[in-house]
Amino acid sequence: MPTIQTEETTGQTEETTGGKKLPSHAKVVVIGGGVVGCSILFHLAKFGWKDAVLLERDELTSGSSWHAAGGIHTISSDPNISRLQSYTINLYKEIEELSGQSVGLHQTGGFYAASTKEWYDYLKGERSKARYMGLDQEFISPKELAERHPLIDPDHYHAVLWDAQDGHLDPSGTTYAFAKAAKAHGAQYFTHCGATGMTQRPDGSWDIVTPKGTLNAEHVVNCGGLWAREVGHMAGIQLPVQPMEHHYLITERMDEVVNFGQQLPHGIDFEANVYCRQEGQGMLLGTYEAQATPWKVGGTPWDFGHELLPPDLDRVADRLETAFERLPAMANAGIKDVINGPFTFGPDGNPLIGPVPGMKNYWVAVGVMAGFCQGGGVGLTLAEWMIDGEPSIDVWAMDVARFGEFATPDWGTIKSSENYERRFVMTFPNETLPKGRKQKTTALYDRMIAKGAVMDQGFGLEHVLWFADGPEDAHEVPSFERNRSHDYVAREIKAVREAVGGIEVANFAKHEFKGEGVREYLNHILAGFVPKPGRLALTPMLTPKGKLYGDLTVACLAEDHFMLFGSGAMQEAHRRWFEKDLPPGISYANVSDDWHGIALSGPKSRELLARITRDDVSAEAFKFRDLRQTFVGGVPVIINRISFSGELGYEIYCKPQYLMRLADAIEEAGADLGYRWYGARALLSMRLEKGWGVWTMEYRPDFDAVESGMDVFINWKKEFVGKEATLKAREGGVSQKLVTMTIDVEGIDVAHDEAILKDGEPVGYVSSGGYAHHVGKSMAMGYVAAEFAAPGTKLQVEILGNFYDALVLAGPAYDANGANMRS
């Protein structure tokens, strides 16, 4: 098999045990000596946890790191991952100087070439993100690209985005530089000393068995890479990651490369599905096959090491043919090496990092496919999380808690394969992905499909986006512009605003607390008011640093019995948060799957409800923010008088086995009232008209309660987690504020992450938005510099490279005083 030769091949074989005895105890043990594990070791030691040990079963880099292509870039679908990738690239000079080990860094600049209008539109969105993030990206012409990269045929391209930070490095040298820099800060690493087993003590620490003895650690970090699943099995967990075969080739010497006189840039051609960079006097060219090849689905052999897999160029022949059309000189170049090596993907292409819900002192950093782009940022994040208790920025896009028990190994292989295949394939804002579907459904799934539902999935559960006229009509064309669902969604909203509509609420999270002292516990961890029996309250939940960690509805069923309703996506992250310091005598359970249900909304919702319950549901008897345990439609329910649509409404929760009967009763009773089912797109449009934020968009740990406006729900008379930091923010003022805007635009709306500008200068970004059908306006929510947050401020929003006038609103665009909701 070929040997990978990079420009600064390190030939590292350093044996660090060197007679040094394995310690019997460590603050933290990192398992896995790839770039991610070594980065985490470095950051932990740098930030003060010097009693840190890394265990590697072979030599460092013996998994995927040694055969990585070594390209580095900042662009990512998530802005905070882009920030961490920029941090990673900027970190390399520091570790090189500290370790004395060259990382072989070549910041040649990089290009992203758009050969279709759709890819050009995508790159306009990336440029907009870069604008407000302060990243150094600019558009250049195809002709200018050809001047910077003479192998490129510019006639294939509409436009090119250029990033001066991009380039490539030496993977092995970089990994060793992290390890040596960690050692310089006081950490230790041991090669030929892999973990072979582990057990947890009653105090939460871990005994880790190795060939050189047993080591007790307060914390364990699984950075197993290709062996992440197997390391997870030692602790009894299943991680939904999958190694994939991946090809790239290295050419022989090319005169066009040698004679250019300077380093060629790193580059990506999305439509051709290839990436390329200079490698010595030739070129490196890689691609992602249209049909993924999962490797070792049953488990990675422990004796796999510095090996490659048999190449199969037939799998990538079509991609190479397209690449050679766009880089014609490469068609005549000799191929020196063909590399087919495995590396590990996660279900959505992003890493899985953080503390594992349901486990104590067990952390993961796995599925870091772009290790040399992201490894430094992952190390920074894990070290902050472990030492400070929370990362400095929101890393939800990488948090292992975004997956729950639905993410089985089989599902992980299916979704990881899909993501591999779509690595350079456009995903539009309105697009739903086909693989791994129906993993979780409710009893109404078939009913909704029969009615023309277009579905998506969240946290593994199918939910309705919108309703077409029937199953044959239930489709839409992926687009950046308003799509064919527009008029259908308008129809659903009209029913809710004028009559009555219903939406499934199974995908809301439900957290149940019981026991003496539970009110005191909730008063401590929640910043808002904890209600009396039979009442509901809205409250933020904050971190010790005052950052948002929850936007919850608290239901008091009894003095010793509470239910919290919140983000379905965050349910395992919140479970992890609640279980972390749960006092004795209080029981907690994530009961999201135990309660499904239907929310009724609209001026006729009370009349419909009255027809299917014996209770008095008049405005006087059942007030806004009341709750009851009663019977509706002949089934036992919890009913909350609250509505996210902004209309009079009720959330009716029942056990899953009663859901079909409840739906039957609602449909029958609402037939003459204009009842219509509606989906998530309608709900998100209606909440825009009310100026209500959504978790993972407006509400996330990047912001505090004052910036987000959630401080209006805080009970300042009590002590709560994050109070000191929040008081400081309130008294000292904040630099940014959440605003709601209307946008003067036709035919297209924001999605998220677009730049907000004042006089041509970026002052914020869009967190979410869309078309508000009832008020007939395009709207957006976003964070802007506090000086531009005043009502009436005129701003601009960048959408696909164009700038549209926007106006900051003074309050909700619909039913400003909430009279409808409280009626």
Side-chain angles (χ1 to χ4, degrees):
M1 291 187 178
T3 300
I4 310 298
Q5 295 291 332
T6 61
E7 294 161 14
E8 285 84 18
T9 299
T10 61
Q12 293 286 349
T13 58
E14 179 181 353
E15 171 60 71
T16 60
T17 49
K20 189 193 304 183
K21 186 178 179 182
L22 187 74
S24 61
H25 178 271
K27 180 78 174 177
V28 57
V29 165
V30 178
I31 299 176
V35 65
V36 175
C38 291
S39 171
I40 292 171
L41 186 73
F42 162 74
H43 282 90
L44 286 169
K46 177 182 177 181
F47 296 158
W49 278 17
K50 301 186 182 300
D51 185 14
V53 171
L54 182 145
L55 303 177
E56 164 56 41
R57 61 176 191 94
D58 197 345
E59 300 287 348
L60 300 184
T61 79
S62 292
S64 300
S65 295
W66 75 277
H67 61 71
I72 52 174
H73 57 85
T74 57
I75 279 186
S76 172
S77 59
D78 181 83
N80 278 357
I81 293 181
S82 291
R83 288 187 175 95
L84 292 174
Q85 291 184 182
S86 180
Y87 165 83
T88 299
I89 294 169
N90 289 329
L91 179 65
Y92 286 134
K93 291 181 181 178
E94 175 185 337
I95 63 167
E96 190 173 62
E97 291 174 2
L98 180 60
S99 67
Q101 169 70 55
S102 171
V103 303
L105 181 63
H106 296 267
Q107 285 189 272
T108 58
F111 65 87
Y112 305 83
S115 54
T116 66
K117 176 185 179 298
E118 290 76 16
W119 278 114
Y120 187 18
D121 286 344
Y122 167 81
L123 290 177
K124 290 174 184 175
E126 291 303 312
R127 174 66 184 91
S128 187
K129 284 194 292 189
R131 194 186 306 278
Y132 77 76
M133 292 166 60
L135 298 178
D136 184 14
Q137 293 178 3
E138 61 176 343
F139 276 108
I140 62 174
S141 69
K143 179 181 178 182
E144 189 173 356
L145 173 62
E147 293 171 354
R148 300 184 188 190
H149 198 310
L151 274 65
I152 292 285
D153 179 355
D155 292 342
H156 291 280
Y157 303 109
H158 286 271
V160 179
L161 186 63
W162 180 266
D163 191 321
Q165 265 198 304
D166 292 6
H168 64 275
L169 46 66
D170 171 31
S172 291
T174 300
T175 305
Y176 274 92
F178 270 123
K180 290 179 178 180
K183 192 175 179 181
H185 279 299
Q188 300 180 75
Y189 64 95
F190 294 84
T191 58
H192 303 282
C193 187
T196 59
M198 65 178 71
T199 56
Q200 191 167 30
R201 294 183 182 181
D203 64 1
S205 68
W206 294 88
D207 287 330
I208 302 161
V209 181
T210 81
K212 294 180 169 59
T214 298
L215 171 59
N216 177 256
E218 295 177 38
H219 299 267
V220 171
V221 187
N222 177 352
C223 300
L226 295 176
W227 296 268
R229 298 169 298 174
E230 287 67 40
V231 174
H233 294 163
M234 296 178 189
I237 65 171
Q238 300 285 342
L239 293 168
V241 296
Q242 175 61 54
M244 298 287 173
E245 295 191 23
H246 177 67
H247 282 87
Y248 66 84
L249 58 86
I250 298 173
T251 72
E252 301 283 0
R253 180 187 187 277
M254 297 177 63
D255 290 341
E256 297 86 347
V257 174
V258 175
N259 296 333
F260 182 53
Q262 63 186 60
Q263 283 271 314
L264 294 173
H266 180 277
I268 293 174
D269 181 329
F270 292 106
E271 189 193 21
N273 210 296
V274 295
Y275 60 87
C276 63
R277 68 167 178 84
Q278 184 172 338
E279 174 60 37
Q281 296 183 330
M283 291 291 293
L284 181 152
L285 179 71
T287 186
Y288 294 85
E289 300 93 315
Q291 180 65 49
T293 304
W295 180 74
K296 298 297 182 184
V297 172
T300 303
W302 285 109
D303 60 355
F304 185 80
H306 280 77
E307 303 166 50
L308 293 173
L309 309 176
D312 183 0
L313 286 181
D314 288 343
R315 299 210 308 256
V316 297
D318 57 334
R319 300 286 167 84
L320 295 180
E321 183 178 348
T322 304
F324 294 158
E325 290 175 2
R326 299 178 182 203
L327 295 97
M330 290 195 66
N332 301 316
I335 297 177
K336 181 171 68 173
D337 283 326
V338 177
I339 288 81
N340 180 20
F343 69 131
T344 304
F345 260 73
D348 58 6
N350 286 341
L352 283 68
I353 71 171
V356 175
M359 305 285 287
K360 187 173 183 180
N361 300 337
Y362 190 93
W363 305 72
V364 294
V366 301
V368 190
M369 178 273 301
F372 292 93
C373 296
Q374 298 173 349
V378 169
L380 170 71
T381 298
L382 257 292
E384 290 176 335
W385 209 336
M386 298 178 79
I387 297 171
D388 299 336
E390 57 186 282
S392 57
I393 64 173
D394 177 29
V395 291
W396 173 248
M398 298 191 291
D399 194 333
V400 65
R402 71 189 188 276
F403 300 109
E405 65 179 12
F406 71 89
T408 64
D410 287 344
W411 185 88
T413 297
I414 290 168
K415 292 299 288 184
S416 297
S417 298
E418 178 184 56
N419 192 272
Y420 179 95
E421 294 163 359
R422 297 183 62 88
R423 174 71 174 150
F424 291 155
V425 174
M426 178 76 70
T427 299
F428 293 88
N430 67 317
E431 189 171 6
T432 59
L433 301 183
K435 292 190 176 182
R437 301 301 295 272
K438 294 196 286 187
Q439 183 75 351
K440 291 175 66 178
T441 60
T442 74
L444 300 186
Y445 179 82
D446 289 340
R447 181 186 307 221
M448 298 304 181
I449 292 295
K451 291 179 181 296
V454 174
M455 309 289 283
D456 198 2
Q457 67 84 30
F459 208 74
L461 180 66
E462 297 287 328
H463 65 268
V464 178
L465 289 177
W466 58 279
F467 286 92
D469 289 334
E472 312 79 23
D473 188 40
H475 65 90
E476 61 182 331
V477 178
S479 172
F480 285 112
E481 300 176 354
R482 290 178 191 158
N483 55 77
R484 74 180 300 266
S485 72
H486 187 79
D487 292 340
Y488 297 88
V489 172
R491 180 173 65 185
E492 295 170 19
I493 292 172
K494 181 178 174 64
V496 175
R497 292 287 189 232
E498 298 179 3
V500 57
I503 184 173
E504 271 202 274
V505 287
N507 57 339
F508 290 4
K510 303 97 187 173
H511 304 274
E512 187 171 33
F513 295 85
K514 293 181 179 179
E516 186 178 351
V518 67
R519 176 178 292 275
E520 289 76 14
Y521 167 71
L522 293 177
N523 254 320
H524 175 64
I525 65 167
L526 302 177
F529 292 85
V530 177
K532 297 177 180 179
R535 292 287 289 167
L536 303 164
L538 304 177
T539 175
M541 182 165 66
L542 308 176
T543 72
K545 294 183 179 179
K547 298 298 184 180
L548 290 176
Y549 204 71
D551 162 34
L552 301 161
T553 300
V554 186
C556 182
L557 301 169
E559 272 298 326
D560 61 352
H561 188 188
F562 287 81
M563 191 90 80
L564 273 57
F565 300 86
S567 164
M570 282 286 288
Q571 61 185 268
E572 282 295 278
H574 284 159
R575 172 196 171 197
R576 180 177 64 197
W577 189 261
F578 295 136
E579 291 181 337
K580 180 163 59 77
D581 297 310
L582 195 67
I586 296 176
S587 67
Y588 160 75
N590 176 2
V591 294
S592 300
D593 290 337
D594 296 340
W595 293 92
H596 290 178
I598 298 165
L600 299 179
S601 295
K604 297 182 181 180
S605 59
R606 178 180 287 119
E607 183 178 352
L608 194 162
L609 180 62
R611 294 179 179 185
I612 55 176
T613 183
R614 299 182 183 184
D615 285 18
D616 181 357
V617 293
S618 64
E620 297 76 19
F622 197 19
K623 300 180 179 66
F624 179 61
R625 290 198 291 113
D626 275 354
L627 76 93
R628 292 182 185 175
Q629 292 177 277
T630 185
F631 305 95
V632 174
V635 304
V637 302
I638 297 173
I639 180 168
N640 298 338
R641 211 203 123 175
I642 198 168
S643 167
F644 195 55
S645 69
E647 297 290 346
L648 167 68
Y650 308 86
E651 293 175 357
I652 309 169
Y653 295 98
C654 65
K655 297 290 187 178
Q657 63 267 29
Y658 297 119
L659 185 60
M660 287 184 65
R661 179 69 191 93
L662 177 63
D664 287 343
I666 289 172
E667 287 183 345
E668 292 165 9
D672 65 340
L673 298 176
Y675 178 80
R676 180 180 289 276
W677 291 101
Y678 69 99
R681 294 228 179 116
L683 185 64
L684 289 175
S685 173
M686 289 186 285
R687 65 91 195 183
L688 274 176
E689 297 176 337
K690 297 294 292 180
W692 289 340
V694 175
W695 191 260
T696 74
M697 295 179 180
E698 285 73 38
Y699 305 144
R700 45 190 285 196
D702 275 336
F703 311 110
D704 62 37
V706 182
E707 292 169 331
S708 63
M710 290 292 287
D711 56 324
V712 299
F713 297 107
I714 287 179
N715 178 3
W716 295 103
K717 295 180 180 180
K718 68 173 187 177
E719 296 300 318
F720 57 85
V721 174
K723 182 176 182 178
E724 182 180 350
T726 309
L727 279 171
K728 185 177 180 180
R730 187 175 70 158
E731 293 165 359
V734 293
S735 61
Q736 59 184 344
K737 289 287 289 184
L738 177 64
V739 298
T740 302
M741 303 172 289
T742 56
I743 307 174
D744 187 11
V745 62
E746 293 293 334
I748 192 169
D749 303 293
V750 298
H752 52 78
D753 296 327
E754 294 87 353
I756 302 172
L757 303 100
K758 178 67 174 178
D759 299 329
E761 293 298 320
V763 296
Y765 83 101
V766 170
S767 50
S768 70
Y771 191 74
H773 289 265
H774 188 76
V775 301
K777 295 180 182 293
S778 184
M779 297 186 68
M781 298 184 73
Y783 284 85
V784 300
E787 61 191 288
F788 303 114
T793 302
K794 295 179 180 180
L795 301 169
Q796 285 189 312
V797 174
E798 181 177 11
I799 309 176
L800 298 187
N802 296 314
F803 299 91
Y804 299 94
D805 291 336
L807 181 68
V808 177
L809 300 183
Y814 173 77
D815 189 30
N817 62 3
N820 292 354
M821 190 170 55
R822 292 175 170 82
S823 62

